[in-house]
Amino acid sequence: MRRHLETALAALFIAAPASACGPYFPETLLDDRAATLSQLPEGTFAYEAAHLVPQPKPAFKPVERADWIWTEAPPARDAVERTLLGVDFERTLDIRRRENAAVAYAAGEGLPEDARRYLAGAVAFQAGDMAEAMRRFASVLELPTADRVRYGVWAAYMLGRSQAPGDAAAAAKAFQQVRALVAAGAADPLGMAVDSYGEEARLRLGAGDDAGAIALYAQQAALDSKFGEASLLRVARALAADPARLERGIADPVTQRLITAYLLTRSDELAGESATSDTPAAPASPGVVENFLDAIARRGLDHVEGADRLAALAYRNGRYDLAAQLAAKDSDGLAAWVRAKLALRAGDANAAAAAYAEAAKAFPVETAVPRDEDSREPAAPYCRVEGEAGTLALARGEYVSALEHLYAAAPTYWMDAAFVAERVLTLDELRQFVDKHASVAAKPLAADAGNAVREQQASLLRALLARRLLRSERYDDALAYFDDATLKSKATAYVAARRGAESGDRIRRAEQWYRAAVAAREDGLDLLGYELDPDDQYFGGDFTFGNNFDQTPAATKSAPVLNLPTGPGAGERERVAASVAQPNARFHYRYVAAGFAARAADLVPSRSQAYAATLCQAAGWLLSRDPAAARAYYDRYVKHGPYVEWAADFGNRCEEPDFVGAAKRLHAERIAAANRYARKALPYAFGIGALALVVGVLWRRRRRT
């Protein structure tokens, strides 16, 4: 089965979007809220194919080798035979080159009997002598169980291949024997038990038995076989391209579920986007979904398999009445999800919220981000449902509720949760939320926060709150939410500097302002940075994610019309405006740092080295990003500051401020000022003294008279 499937596999895996020079950017919901609430995600064929039937027992392990399977390479036949035969393995290489089975059997004298018989059969099979090959393989199985432990499974498998397609019934029986032997405890290092499902299915497919073939392929796929999954995709394509064959297949439950899964998860193919010369079957026309749904309706909704998937398919294709009928027949999460969509379309927000809550309870809580199409995992339906519920709550002005849902959807939709936490909730609302939902920090964040998993989201949220509190100068509150010991130490030093800048003499305050400035520049991303725009702390500041969360995108024809507002309301816009970065510029904390340095310059003598150095540092921190702002600091220095040798490269080459020298200069300037005052005041003092003397004399004379 493997060889004839290879041409199908190129179309099986759809390449996931990637950035050649950047990280994985998480999916978001709030940037197009109407689409989020109206569109139903497609899902993955890989997951659906693996869940068409229950996993067979015992659960045989697949051992598959192909260029498109990105797993550890399975053992090669030669490696397995070397283990089976030890020092005798080298002889097998010579035996396999013999001209016929008889010669090969004779050359194997001294080997275990099952090895001699199997190798003779392999030589006959390679020569195309199927009758002799079958006789030799069958002779292996005639040996006592203890004497065929090495090659019994191999012989049964090759017996089936030798008989197919001449005697399909006998071949199928041989493949069934493979599974029976392995189930009884025989070793299966090459995964022939799983492969036997596909080989037997191929026989049924060749005989026109679609249902029988699909049942076997489905069991193979349920055992996590990529070959089984690929075979199901090939068959589904063929059925979708043949209307008569498609309608016949509806009568079989598993076939009906397969067709539904294909139409529900491969819309790109239905639109003709994947039709290539190596596609094993002609792509289905876009009308195949309509024809399939019509056939389902004609047969009667009492005979449907997987009403939830059919409801989703009907909704995605605009058959809303049919979707409602089908969704009413099922109580699982997907059916409730469809009902939520239909309620939104009808403008009933309360019913939609209730349906979302029902869907969330039905889906298992994911513990990691969703994977790509080649994964066996679902596309995080729980997270998506909670994310949509949060989107609806935000549209209704229920801001805390919106974060509750979006936080439950994290880390898959952490960007959306972070936007609401950072820009929509008030600071006190966020703190109360964190105390309720993330009162204890999770394990420390990994080096790559972009790969955060659910148990880390508490730390992400607490760090976001800590930075927001620190930006708002609520120092004691902020320090309580920094969980990383190193970062908390830095935050503590920053707070000490900010507080120190409010008391003491001028030079001490200047020095503290400068220390706060350095901390804001060197550690500002982690102490003061916004999780998203404009700093993108989540990505370590290395990439700009942007922020379109508070915009209302233009309506698209592909999205069903919703009879209720979905964009940001006046209340949300007001809150977002109130929480904007000051200034609202990339790496805003650099501007904050420069402002602190300028405050330090305000407090030191303008002719001191410290004045020039603090303004030089401020200019340097902004020079590469905002030359105009950096120039303003330079102009201030030129107007008021002293000459320093390094001023020719102002902003690029700066000395550290000499606050001791600034203190001495300030002291000297004060003494000089006092002396100047005294010199200027002395003549006035003498004049006032003389006048006082004259007045005194005149007063005494008057009293005498």
Side-chain angles (χ1 to χ4, degrees), residues 445-478:
L445 292 178
D448 182 2
N451 291 331
V453 292
R454 178 170 297 279
E455 50 265 31
Q456 292 178 333
Q457 69 193 49
S459 290
L460 288 172
L461 188 64
R462 289 173 61 84
L464 184 154
L465 172 61
R467 295 192 302 274
R468 191 172 172 186
L469 286 165
L470 207 54
R471 291 195 299 267
S472 299
E473 300 182 0
R474 292 172 56 171
Y475 301 131
D476 292 334
D477 292 342

PDB file of all heavy atoms in Angstrom, residues 445-478:
ATOM      1  N   LEU A 445       8.947  31.393  33.886  1.00  0.00           N
ATOM      2  CA  LEU A 445       8.772  31.377  32.443  1.00  0.00           C
ATOM      3  C   LEU A 445       9.969  30.752  31.759  1.00  0.00           C
ATOM      4  O   LEU A 445      11.108  30.906  32.192  1.00  0.00           O
ATOM      5  CB  LEU A 445       8.573  32.794  31.923  1.00  0.00           C
ATOM      6  CG  LEU A 445       7.276  33.482  32.334  1.00  0.00           C
ATOM      7  CD1 LEU A 445       7.255  34.887  31.783  1.00  0.00           C
ATOM      8  CD2 LEU A 445       6.080  32.705  31.819  1.00  0.00           C
ATOM      9  N   ALA A 446       9.701  30.063  30.652  1.00  0.00           N
ATOM     10  CA  ALA A 446      10.779  29.511  29.846  1.00  0.00           C
ATOM     11  C   ALA A 446      11.488  30.650  29.128  1.00  0.00           C
ATOM     12  O   ALA A 446      10.993  31.771  29.041  1.00  0.00           O
ATOM     13  CB  ALA A 446      10.201  28.512  28.838  1.00  0.00           C
ATOM     14  N   ALA A 447      12.670  30.338  28.588  1.00  0.00           N
ATOM     15  CA  ALA A 447      13.426  31.374  27.886  1.00  0.00           C
ATOM     16  C   ALA A 447      12.648  31.896  26.697  1.00  0.00           C
ATOM     17  O   ALA A 447      12.690  33.073  26.373  1.00  0.00           O
ATOM     18  CB  ALA A 447      14.777  30.800  27.435  1.00  0.00           C
ATOM     19  N   ASP A 448      11.915  30.995  26.018  1.00  0.00           N
ATOM     20  CA  ASP A 448      11.109  31.399  24.865  1.00  0.00           C
ATOM     21  C   ASP A 448       9.665  31.490  25.307  1.00  0.00           C
ATOM     22  O   ASP A 448       8.920  30.526  25.278  1.00  0.00           O
ATOM     23  CB  ASP A 448      11.264  30.380  23.733  1.00  0.00           C
ATOM     24  CG  ASP A 448      10.475  30.785  22.490  1.00  0.00           C
ATOM     25  OD1 ASP A 448       9.858  31.870  22.521  1.00  0.00           O
ATOM     26  OD2 ASP A 448      10.491  30.031  21.511  1.00  0.00           O
ATOM     27  N   ALA A 449       9.246  32.682  25.731  1.00  0.00           N
ATOM     28  CA  ALA A 449       7.878  32.847  26.233  1.00  0.00           C
ATOM     29  C   ALA A 449       6.851  32.616  25.147  1.00  0.00           C
ATOM     30  O   ALA A 449       5.693  32.361  25.424  1.00  0.00           O
ATOM     31  CB  ALA A 449       7.704  34.250  26.825  1.00  0.00           C
ATOM     32  N   GLY A 450       7.272  32.707  23.864  1.00  0.00           N
ATOM     33  CA  GLY A 450       6.334  32.471  22.784  1.00  0.00           C
ATOM     34  C   GLY A 450       5.833  31.043  22.753  1.00  0.00           C
ATOM     35  O   GLY A 450       4.823  30.744  22.132  1.00  0.00           O
ATOM     36  N   ASN A 451       6.532  30.126  23.431  1.00  0.00           N
ATOM     37  CA  ASN A 451       6.101  28.741  23.496  1.00  0.00           C
ATOM     38  C   ASN A 451       5.440  28.441  24.833  1.00  0.00           C
ATOM     39  O   ASN A 451       5.419  27.302  25.292  1.00  0.00           O
ATOM     40  CB  ASN A 451       7.302  27.801  23.290  1.00  0.00           C
ATOM     41  CG  ASN A 451       7.833  27.870  21.875  1.00  0.00           C
ATOM     42  OD1 ASN A 451       7.087  28.145  20.947  1.00  0.00           O
ATOM     43  ND2 ASN A 451       9.119  27.636  21.710  1.00  0.00           N
ATOM     44  N   ALA A 452       4.911  29.478  25.472  1.00  0.00           N
ATOM     45  CA  ALA A 452       4.314  29.302  26.795  1.00  0.00           C
ATOM     46  C   ALA A 452       3.184  28.285  26.751  1.00  0.00           C
ATOM     47  O   ALA A 452       2.431  28.213  25.806  1.00  0.00           O
ATOM     48  CB  ALA A 452       3.796  30.635  27.310  1.00  0.00           C
ATOM     49  N   VAL A 453       3.064  27.509  27.809  1.00  0.00           N
ATOM     50  CA  VAL A 453       1.973  26.567  27.935  1.00  0.00           C
ATOM     51  C   VAL A 453       1.063  27.026  29.053  1.00  0.00           C
ATOM     52  O   VAL A 453       1.342  27.996  29.752  1.00  0.00           O
ATOM     53  CB  VAL A 453       2.505  25.141  28.204  1.00  0.00           C
ATOM     54  CG1 VAL A 453       3.233  24.616  26.990  1.00  0.00           C
ATOM     55  CG2 VAL A 453       3.423  25.121  29.410  1.00  0.00           C
ATOM     56  N   ARG A 454      -0.044  26.331  29.199  1.00  0.00           N
ATOM     57  CA  ARG A 454      -1.093  26.824  30.084  1.00  0.00           C
ATOM     58  C   ARG A 454      -0.604  27.100  31.503  1.00  0.00           C
ATOM     59  O   ARG A 454      -0.981  28.091  32.112  1.00  0.00           O
ATOM     60  CB  ARG A 454      -2.231  25.803  30.113  1.00  0.00           C
ATOM     61  CG  ARG A 454      -3.365  26.194  31.042  1.00  0.00           C
ATOM     62  CD  ARG A 454      -4.554  25.292  30.854  1.00  0.00           C
ATOM     63  NE  ARG A 454      -5.103  25.385  29.534  1.00  0.00           N
ATOM     64  CZ  ARG A 454      -5.934  26.355  29.130  1.00  0.00           C
ATOM     65  NH1 ARG A 454      -6.253  27.323  29.941  1.00  0.00           N
ATOM     66  NH2 ARG A 454      -6.420  26.363  27.918  1.00  0.00           N
ATOM     67  N   GLU A 455       0.263  26.248  32.035  1.00  0.00           N
ATOM     68  CA  GLU A 455       0.660  26.457  33.424  1.00  0.00           C
ATOM     69  C   GLU A 455       1.513  27.703  33.605  1.00  0.00           C
ATOM     70  O   GLU A 455       1.792  28.116  34.728  1.00  0.00           O
ATOM     71  CB  GLU A 455       1.396  25.226  33.964  1.00  0.00           C
ATOM     72  CG  GLU A 455       2.514  24.730  33.094  1.00  0.00           C
ATOM     73  CD  GLU A 455       2.058  23.616  32.168  1.00  0.00           C
ATOM     74  OE1 GLU A 455       0.875  23.618  31.777  1.00  0.00           O
ATOM     75  OE2 GLU A 455       2.877  22.757  31.846  1.00  0.00           O
ATOM     76  N   GLN A 456       1.959  28.339  32.512  1.00  0.00           N
ATOM     77  CA  GLN A 456       2.752  29.547  32.623  1.00  0.00           C
ATOM     78  C   GLN A 456       1.910  30.819  32.506  1.00  0.00           C
ATOM     79  O   GLN A 456       2.410  31.909  32.763  1.00  0.00           O
ATOM     80  CB  GLN A 456       3.825  29.575  31.540  1.00  0.00           C
ATOM     81  CG  GLN A 456       4.904  28.522  31.734  1.00  0.00           C
ATOM     82  CD  GLN A 456       5.914  28.562  30.605  1.00  0.00           C
ATOM     83  OE1 GLN A 456       5.610  28.972  29.506  1.00  0.00           O
ATOM     84  NE2 GLN A 456       7.118  28.116  30.890  1.00  0.00           N
ATOM     85  N   GLN A 457       0.657  30.706  32.118  1.00  0.00           N
ATOM     86  CA  GLN A 457      -0.105  31.917  31.845  1.00  0.00           C
ATOM     87  C   GLN A 457      -0.334  32.741  33.108  1.00  0.00           C
ATOM     88  O   GLN A 457      -0.475  33.965  33.028  1.00  0.00           O
ATOM     89  CB  GLN A 457      -1.429  31.590  31.172  1.00  0.00           C
ATOM     90  CG  GLN A 457      -2.440  30.870  32.059  1.00  0.00           C
ATOM     91  CD  GLN A 457      -3.580  30.309  31.232  1.00  0.00           C
ATOM     92  OE1 GLN A 457      -3.365  29.643  30.227  1.00  0.00           O
ATOM     93  NE2 GLN A 457      -4.801  30.584  31.643  1.00  0.00           N
ATOM     94  N   ALA A 458      -0.358  32.113  34.276  1.00  0.00           N
ATOM     95  CA  ALA A 458      -0.482  32.883  35.515  1.00  0.00           C
ATOM     96  C   ALA A 458       0.705  33.813  35.683  1.00  0.00           C
ATOM     97  O   ALA A 458       0.558  34.979  36.067  1.00  0.00           O
ATOM     98  CB  ALA A 458      -0.604  31.941  36.714  1.00  0.00           C
ATOM     99  N   SER A 459       1.913  33.318  35.380  1.00  0.00           N
ATOM    100  CA  SER A 459       3.094  34.161  35.480  1.00  0.00           C
ATOM    101  C   SER A 459       3.055  35.287  34.454  1.00  0.00           C
ATOM    102  O   SER A 459       3.457  36.420  34.747  1.00  0.00           O
ATOM    103  CB  SER A 459       4.365  33.322  35.282  1.00  0.00           C
ATOM    104  OG  SER A 459       4.564  32.462  36.383  1.00  0.00           O
ATOM    105  N   LEU A 460       2.583  34.984  33.256  1.00  0.00           N
ATOM    106  CA  LEU A 460       2.472  36.018  32.231  1.00  0.00           C
ATOM    107  C   LEU A 460       1.537  37.131  32.686  1.00  0.00           C
ATOM    108  O   LEU A 460       1.839  38.322  32.542  1.00  0.00           O
ATOM    109  CB  LEU A 460       1.958  35.416  30.921  1.00  0.00           C
ATOM    110  CG  LEU A 460       2.925  34.528  30.138  1.00  0.00           C
ATOM    111  CD1 LEU A 460       2.195  33.851  28.978  1.00  0.00           C
ATOM    112  CD2 LEU A 460       4.087  35.332  29.618  1.00  0.00           C
ATOM    113  N   LEU A 461       0.400  36.743  33.250  1.00  0.00           N
ATOM    114  CA  LEU A 461      -0.581  37.740  33.671  1.00  0.00           C
ATOM    115  C   LEU A 461      -0.076  38.539  34.865  1.00  0.00           C
ATOM    116  O   LEU A 461      -0.265  39.762  34.935  1.00  0.00           O
ATOM    117  CB  LEU A 461      -1.906  37.056  34.007  1.00  0.00           C
ATOM    118  CG  LEU A 461      -3.084  37.996  34.282  1.00  0.00           C
ATOM    119  CD1 LEU A 461      -3.422  38.806  33.033  1.00  0.00           C
ATOM    120  CD2 LEU A 461      -4.307  37.213  34.746  1.00  0.00           C
ATOM    121  N   ARG A 462       0.565  37.877  35.809  1.00  0.00           N
ATOM    122  CA  ARG A 462       1.075  38.570  36.986  1.00  0.00           C
ATOM    123  C   ARG A 462       2.177  39.566  36.584  1.00  0.00           C
ATOM    124  O   ARG A 462       2.249  40.680  37.108  1.00  0.00           O
ATOM    125  CB  ARG A 462       1.606  37.559  38.004  1.00  0.00           C
ATOM    126  CG  ARG A 462       0.507  36.760  38.691  1.00  0.00           C
ATOM    127  CD  ARG A 462       1.086  35.647  39.559  1.00  0.00           C
ATOM    128  NE  ARG A 462       1.937  36.159  40.610  1.00  0.00           N
ATOM    129  CZ  ARG A 462       1.501  36.592  41.775  1.00  0.00           C
ATOM    130  NH1 ARG A 462       0.199  36.578  42.044  1.00  0.00           N
ATOM    131  NH2 ARG A 462       2.340  37.036  42.692  1.00  0.00           N
ATOM    132  N   ALA A 463       3.021  39.166  35.656  1.00  0.00           N
ATOM    133  CA  ALA A 463       4.073  40.074  35.203  1.00  0.00           C
ATOM    134  C   ALA A 463       3.488  41.275  34.479  1.00  0.00           C
ATOM    135  O   ALA A 463       3.960  42.408  34.629  1.00  0.00           O
ATOM    136  CB  ALA A 463       5.049  39.328  34.294  1.00  0.00           C
ATOM    137  N   LEU A 464       2.453  41.036  33.684  1.00  0.00           N
ATOM    138  CA  LEU A 464       1.775  42.142  32.998  1.00  0.00           C
ATOM    139  C   LEU A 464       1.219  43.132  34.013  1.00  0.00           C
ATOM    140  O   LEU A 464       1.368  44.354  33.867  1.00  0.00           O
ATOM    141  CB  LEU A 464       0.664  41.580  32.101  1.00  0.00           C
ATOM    142  CG  LEU A 464      -0.114  42.540  31.218  1.00  0.00           C
ATOM    143  CD1 LEU A 464      -0.664  41.806  29.999  1.00  0.00           C
ATOM    144  CD2 LEU A 464      -1.262  43.230  31.944  1.00  0.00           C
ATOM    145  N   LEU A 465       0.563  42.622  35.055  1.00  0.00           N
ATOM    146  CA  LEU A 465       0.015  43.495  36.096  1.00  0.00           C
ATOM    147  C   LEU A 465       1.131  44.238  36.821  1.00  0.00           C
ATOM    148  O   LEU A 465       1.005  45.441  37.105  1.00  0.00           O
ATOM    149  CB  LEU A 465      -0.796  42.665  37.094  1.00  0.00           C
ATOM    150  CG  LEU A 465      -1.276  43.412  38.353  1.00  0.00           C
ATOM    151  CD1 LEU A 465      -2.185  44.574  37.978  1.00  0.00           C
ATOM    152  CD2 LEU A 465      -1.980  42.446  39.300  1.00  0.00           C
ATOM    153  N   ALA A 466       2.223  43.546  37.129  1.00  0.00           N
ATOM    154  CA  ALA A 466       3.326  44.185  37.845  1.00  0.00           C
ATOM    155  C   ALA A 466       3.862  45.374  37.057  1.00  0.00           C
ATOM    156  O   ALA A 466       4.106  46.451  37.610  1.00  0.00           O
ATOM    157  CB  ALA A 466       4.435  43.165  38.098  1.00  0.00           C
ATOM    158  N   ARG A 467       4.056  45.196  35.764  1.00  0.00           N
ATOM    159  CA  ARG A 467       4.569  46.294  34.941  1.00  0.00           C
ATOM    160  C   ARG A 467       3.562  47.435  34.864  1.00  0.00           C
ATOM    161  O   ARG A 467       3.937  48.617  34.894  1.00  0.00           O
ATOM    162  CB  ARG A 467       4.903  45.793  33.538  1.00  0.00           C
ATOM    163  CG  ARG A 467       6.029  44.778  33.487  1.00  0.00           C
ATOM    164  CD  ARG A 467       6.523  44.540  32.074  1.00  0.00           C
ATOM    165  NE  ARG A 467       5.476  44.087  31.185  1.00  0.00           N
ATOM    166  CZ  ARG A 467       5.111  42.823  31.026  1.00  0.00           C
ATOM    167  NH1 ARG A 467       5.729  41.866  31.730  1.00  0.00           N
ATOM    168  NH2 ARG A 467       4.159  42.484  30.189  1.00  0.00           N
ATOM    169  N   ARG A 468       2.297  47.090  34.757  1.00  0.00           N
ATOM    170  CA  ARG A 468       1.280  48.137  34.684  1.00  0.00           C
ATOM    171  C   ARG A 468       1.222  48.934  35.995  1.00  0.00           C
ATOM    172  O   ARG A 468       1.075  50.150  35.991  1.00  0.00           O
ATOM    173  CB  ARG A 468      -0.077  47.504  34.363  1.00  0.00           C
ATOM    174  CG  ARG A 468      -1.141  48.518  34.007  1.00  0.00           C
ATOM    175  CD  ARG A 468      -2.421  47.882  33.516  1.00  0.00           C
ATOM    176  NE  ARG A 468      -3.454  48.898  33.375  1.00  0.00           N
ATOM    177  CZ  ARG A 468      -4.721  48.645  33.080  1.00  0.00           C
ATOM    178  NH1 ARG A 468      -5.117  47.387  32.895  1.00  0.00           N
ATOM    179  NH2 ARG A 468      -5.591  49.625  32.973  1.00  0.00           N
ATOM    180  N   LEU A 469       1.332  48.249  37.120  1.00  0.00           N
ATOM    181  CA  LEU A 469       1.345  48.938  38.412  1.00  0.00           C
ATOM    182  C   LEU A 469       2.576  49.828  38.551  1.00  0.00           C
ATOM    183  O   LEU A 469       2.501  50.940  39.076  1.00  0.00           O
ATOM    184  CB  LEU A 469       1.304  47.912  39.546  1.00  0.00           C
ATOM    185  CG  LEU A 469      -0.040  47.218  39.783  1.00  0.00           C
ATOM    186  CD1 LEU A 469       0.150  45.987  40.668  1.00  0.00           C
ATOM    187  CD2 LEU A 469      -1.051  48.174  40.413  1.00  0.00           C
ATOM    188  N   LEU A 470       3.714  49.327  38.077  1.00  0.00           N
ATOM    189  CA  LEU A 470       4.933  50.113  38.183  1.00  0.00           C
ATOM    190  C   LEU A 470       4.845  51.357  37.300  1.00  0.00           C
ATOM    191  O   LEU A 470       5.311  52.438  37.695  1.00  0.00           O
ATOM    192  CB  LEU A 470       6.137  49.255  37.781  1.00  0.00           C
ATOM    193  CG  LEU A 470       7.492  49.622  38.399  1.00  0.00           C
ATOM    194  CD1 LEU A 470       7.408  49.661  39.903  1.00  0.00           C
ATOM    195  CD2 LEU A 470       8.555  48.633  37.939  1.00  0.00           C
ATOM    196  N   ARG A 471       4.251  51.213  36.114  1.00  0.00           N
ATOM    197  CA  ARG A 471       4.060  52.389  35.259  1.00  0.00           C
ATOM    198  C   ARG A 471       3.171  53.426  35.941  1.00  0.00           C
ATOM    199  O   ARG A 471       3.326  54.630  35.721  1.00  0.00           O
ATOM    200  CB  ARG A 471       3.434  51.991  33.922  1.00  0.00           C
ATOM    201  CG  ARG A 471       4.315  51.182  33.009  1.00  0.00           C
ATOM    202  CD  ARG A 471       3.791  51.141  31.587  1.00  0.00           C
ATOM    203  NE  ARG A 471       2.479  50.535  31.459  1.00  0.00           N
ATOM    204  CZ  ARG A 471       2.256  49.257  31.192  1.00  0.00           C
ATOM    205  NH1 ARG A 471       3.280  48.424  31.058  1.00  0.00           N
ATOM    206  NH2 ARG A 471       1.023  48.788  31.074  1.00  0.00           N
ATOM    207  N   SER A 472       2.220  52.948  36.750  1.00  0.00           N
ATOM    208  CA  SER A 472       1.292  53.849  37.431  1.00  0.00           C
ATOM    209  C   SER A 472       1.830  54.328  38.774  1.00  0.00           C
ATOM    210  O   SER A 472       1.091  54.963  39.532  1.00  0.00           O
ATOM    211  CB  SER A 472      -0.054  53.133  37.634  1.00  0.00           C
ATOM    212  OG  SER A 472      -0.616  52.775  36.397  1.00  0.00           O
ATOM    213  N   GLU A 473       3.086  54.000  39.080  1.00  0.00           N
ATOM    214  CA  GLU A 473       3.761  54.440  40.301  1.00  0.00           C
ATOM    215  C   GLU A 473       3.098  53.904  41.565  1.00  0.00           C
ATOM    216  O   GLU A 473       3.180  54.515  42.629  1.00  0.00           O
ATOM    217  CB  GLU A 473       3.866  55.970  40.343  1.00  0.00           C
ATOM    218  CG  GLU A 473       4.641  56.529  39.162  1.00  0.00           C
ATOM    219  CD  GLU A 473       4.794  58.033  39.206  1.00  0.00           C
ATOM    220  OE1 GLU A 473       4.298  58.665  40.166  1.00  0.00           O
ATOM    221  OE2 GLU A 473       5.405  58.596  38.284  1.00  0.00           O
ATOM    222  N   ARG A 474       2.478  52.737  41.464  1.00  0.00           N
ATOM    223  CA  ARG A 474       1.949  52.050  42.648  1.00  0.00           C
ATOM    224  C   ARG A 474       2.998  51.017  43.050  1.00  0.00           C
ATOM    225  O   ARG A 474       2.877  49.825  42.778  1.00  0.00           O
ATOM    226  CB  ARG A 474       0.588  51.427  42.334  1.00  0.00           C
ATOM    227  CG  ARG A 474      -0.480  52.486  42.103  1.00  0.00           C
ATOM    228  CD  ARG A 474      -1.799  51.933  41.608  1.00  0.00           C
ATOM    229  NE  ARG A 474      -2.380  50.911  42.474  1.00  0.00           N
ATOM    230  CZ  ARG A 474      -3.614  50.423  42.319  1.00  0.00           C
ATOM    231  NH1 ARG A 474      -4.394  50.906  41.344  1.00  0.00           N
ATOM    232  NH2 ARG A 474      -4.072  49.487  43.126  1.00  0.00           N
ATOM    233  N   TYR A 475       4.032  51.532  43.691  1.00  0.00           N
ATOM    234  CA  TYR A 475       5.256  50.757  43.853  1.00  0.00           C
ATOM    235  C   TYR A 475       5.091  49.508  44.715  1.00  0.00           C
ATOM    236  O   TYR A 475       5.501  48.408  44.326  1.00  0.00           O
ATOM    237  CB  TYR A 475       6.351  51.655  44.428  1.00  0.00           C
ATOM    238  CG  TYR A 475       6.659  52.857  43.581  1.00  0.00           C
ATOM    239  CD1 TYR A 475       6.734  54.133  44.136  1.00  0.00           C
ATOM    240  CD2 TYR A 475       6.878  52.725  42.216  1.00  0.00           C
ATOM    241  CE1 TYR A 475       7.030  55.242  43.355  1.00  0.00           C
ATOM    242  CE2 TYR A 475       7.168  53.824  41.424  1.00  0.00           C
ATOM    243  CZ  TYR A 475       7.234  55.086  41.996  1.00  0.00           C
ATOM    244  OH  TYR A 475       7.519  56.171  41.223  1.00  0.00           O
ATOM    245  N   ASP A 476       4.521  49.664  45.898  1.00  0.00           N
ATOM    246  CA  ASP A 476       4.397  48.516  46.791  1.00  0.00           C
ATOM    247  C   ASP A 476       3.505  47.443  46.181  1.00  0.00           C
ATOM    248  O   ASP A 476       3.788  46.239  46.291  1.00  0.00           O
ATOM    249  CB  ASP A 476       3.843  48.963  48.147  1.00  0.00           C
ATOM    250  CG  ASP A 476       4.831  49.826  48.923  1.00  0.00           C
ATOM    251  OD1 ASP A 476       6.045  49.673  48.693  1.00  0.00           O
ATOM    252  OD2 ASP A 476       4.387  50.651  49.744  1.00  0.00           O
ATOM    253  N   ASP A 477       2.430  47.872  45.553  1.00  0.00           N
ATOM    254  CA  ASP A 477       1.540  46.913  44.884  1.00  0.00           C
ATOM    255  C   ASP A 477       2.291  46.178  43.784  1.00  0.00           C
ATOM    256  O   ASP A 477       2.164  44.956  43.624  1.00  0.00           O
ATOM    257  CB  ASP A 477       0.333  47.635  44.291  1.00  0.00           C
ATOM    258  CG  ASP A 477      -0.590  48.190  45.356  1.00  0.00           C
ATOM    259  OD1 ASP A 477      -0.497  47.747  46.513  1.00  0.00           O
ATOM    260  OD2 ASP A 477      -1.410  49.078  45.027  1.00  0.00           O
ATOM    261  N   ALA A 478       3.076  46.918  43.008  1.00  0.00           N
ATOM    262  CA  ALA A 478       3.780  46.316  41.874  1.00  0.00           C
ATOM    263  C   ALA A 478       4.762  45.243  42.326  1.00  0.00           C
ATOM    264  O   ALA A 478       4.823  44.155  41.741  1.00  0.00           O
ATOM    265  CB  ALA A 478       4.509  47.399  41.091  1.00  0.00           C
TER     266      ALA A 478
END
